[in-house]
């Protein structure tokens, strides 16, 4: 089964840890975010777990990273060099292909309460979709409610 994820780079790093799968991921090495194809801006994924104060801090950090990235390009860096300042919350697309056994393993890990909140945001809806399409394989996997600390 092949699935396309749209998530941030941090979540993508967790996805590609699953060894029994194949991946294709958007590259920051060859993407020049100053070009029209990207709207001359970086695109980031907003963390849902931040309150208003945390969001303000996060937003300020993303804006500073974007300015630094464009400044490095203007200074003469290549996109692959300037990417060093891009944030982990940068939007990426990952296509993952895995067999049913690996998808079961993926869902057991990535829908668990201990999983990163943004990973759960992509994994739980996908589990629901897989359950509706292949119930005999995924019906026994239950995502637990997120535990608060």
């Amino acid at each position: 089964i092949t699935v396309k994820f749209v998530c941030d780079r941090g979540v993508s790093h967790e996805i590609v840890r699953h060894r029994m799968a194949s991946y294709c991921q958007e590259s920051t090495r060859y993407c020049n975010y100053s070009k029209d194809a990207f709207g001359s801006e970086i695109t980031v994924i907003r963390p849902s777990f931040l309150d208003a104060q945390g969001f303000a801090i996060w937003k300020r950090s993303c804006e500073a990273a974007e300015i630094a990235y464009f400044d490095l390009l203007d200074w003469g860096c290549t996109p692959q060099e300037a990417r060093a300042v891009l944030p982990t919350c940068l939007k990426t697309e990952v296509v993952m292909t895995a067999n049913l056994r690996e998808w079961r393993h993926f869902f057991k890990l990535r829908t668990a309460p201990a999983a990163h909140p943004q990973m759960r945001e992509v994994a739980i809806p996908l589990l629901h979709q897989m359950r509706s399409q292949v119930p005999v394989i995924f019906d026994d996997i239950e995502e637990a409610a997120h535990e608060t600390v």
Side-chain angles (χ1 to χ4, degrees):
I1 296 175
T2 300
V3 171
K4 178 181 176 181
F5 294 95
V6 177
C7 57
D8 75 18
R9 304 269 325 165
V11 170
S12 78
H13 296 163
E14 293 183 32
I15 292 171
V16 301
R17 298 293 301 160
H18 292 267
R19 297 291 181 220
M20 299 299 294
S22 296
Y23 303 97
C24 183
Q25 183 172 8
E26 181 178 26
S27 171
T28 57
R29 182 175 181 195
Y30 300 107
C31 293
N32 185 337
Y33 298 103
S34 70
K35 302 295 181 190
D36 288 338
F38 298 97
S40 300
E41 63 184 5
I42 66 170
T43 301
V44 294
I45 304 290
R46 178 183 179 168
S48 59
F49 52 84
L50 295 175
D51 63 12
Q53 184 177 3
F55 173 74
I57 296 167
W58 172 83
K59 183 179 177 195
R60 189 173 62 243
S61 171
C62 291
E63 290 168 345
E66 182 179 58
I67 290 167
Y69 175 80
F70 291 131
D71 285 350
L72 286 171
L73 291 177
D74 290 342
W75 185 69
C77 285
T78 63
Q80 71 178 347
E81 294 167 338
R83 74 178 177 171
V85 298
L86 292 173
T88 305
C89 61
L90 186 73
K91 176 232 149 222
T92 192
E93 296 180 8
V94 180
V95 176
M96 175 180 173
T97 301
N99 64 26
L100 295 174
R101 180 178 297 172
E102 184 59 26
W103 279 114
R104 286 180 54 79
H105 177 67
F106 175 89
F107 290 127
K108 287 177 182 180
L109 290 177
R110 304 308 181 182
T111 64
H116 191 280
Q118 289 177 281
M119 175 57 80
R120 289 173 51 90
E121 286 176 2
V122 296
I124 290 172
L126 180 58
L127 173 58
H128 293 168
Q129 185 176 0
M130 293 275 204
R131 225 187 258 143
S132 72
Q133 301 209 358
V134 194
V136 69
I137 302 295
F138 299 106
D139 270 354
D140 66 321
I141 301 172
E142 292 295 327
E143 71 281 358
H146 192 341
E147 297 171 359
T148 56
V149 181

